[in-house]
Amino acid sequence: MAATLICFTIGFHTNAQTNTSVYDKALADSLGADEYGMKMYVLVMLKTGTNQTTDKATTDSLFKGHMQNISRLVSIKKLVVAGPLQKNEKNYRGIFILDVNTLEEARLLINTDPAIKAKLLDADMFLWYGSAALPEYLPYHEKVQKQSH
């Protein structure tokens, strides 16, 4: 038992040293990371809004604008994650993770979305503490997407 504990302790200590040796201060600073490599974001849960229009041309146009707005928010480095959810009992439709510090900043950004303005979608927002490296995956997305929206 004591030998196992010593081996575990040595392994943990070695692993901890390895993690600190790969620390990149310049990268951490450029991403706004705290000492744990984390930062604050806003998690947006998109849900069905109060506008229940069935006019296909209208909804198609608004959701086309929704997708264009997503691309715009990515291009200005404010949106780091977006995606739809499968049908569920809470009527949640999708998520955004916005690279902003406050709910007010997030509200200003999501109000630029035509589907939200038209109330086809509504949003619940939460401050969320996650990895500061999250935006780093974005350049790879274009390399793995065969078709754009």
Side-chain angles (χ1 to χ4, degrees), residues 6-85:
I6 290 170
C7 289
F8 175 76
T9 304
I10 291 169
F12 180 77
H13 179 71
T14 302
N15 192 30
Q17 286 179 337
T18 301
N19 287 341
T20 58
S21 69
V22 298
Y23 174 71
D24 184 333
K25 180 176 178 5
L27 179 60
D29 290 347
S30 75
L31 295 171
D34 65 13
E35 63 189 16
Y36 302 106
M38 307 282 278
K39 67 185 269 185
M40 193 61 64
Y41 297 92
V42 173
L43 170 66
V44 179
M45 298 296 298
L46 296 172
K47 59 186 180 180
T48 302
T50 56
N51 182 345
Q52 300 296 311
T53 186
T54 57
D55 180 55
K56 184 167 173 28
T58 299
T59 58
D60 286 353
S61 174
L62 290 169
F63 279 108
K64 181 179 180 185
H66 170 71
M67 297 307 294
Q68 290 170 337
N69 196 57
I70 287 172
S71 294
R72 183 186 69 79
L73 293 175
V74 169
S75 73
I76 63 171
K77 300 185 185 304
K78 293 297 181 183
L79 181 63
V80 294
V81 172
L85 297 172

Side-chain angles (χ1 to χ4, degrees), residues 4 15-16 21 26 28-29 54 62 64 86 88 105-106 110 114 121 142-143:
T4 302
N15 192 30
S21 69
D29 290 347
T54 57
L62 290 169
K64 181 179 180 185
Q86 290 186 343
N88 60 80
E105 289 175 274
I110 66 166
L121 295 174
E142 289 180 355
K143 294 177 181 181

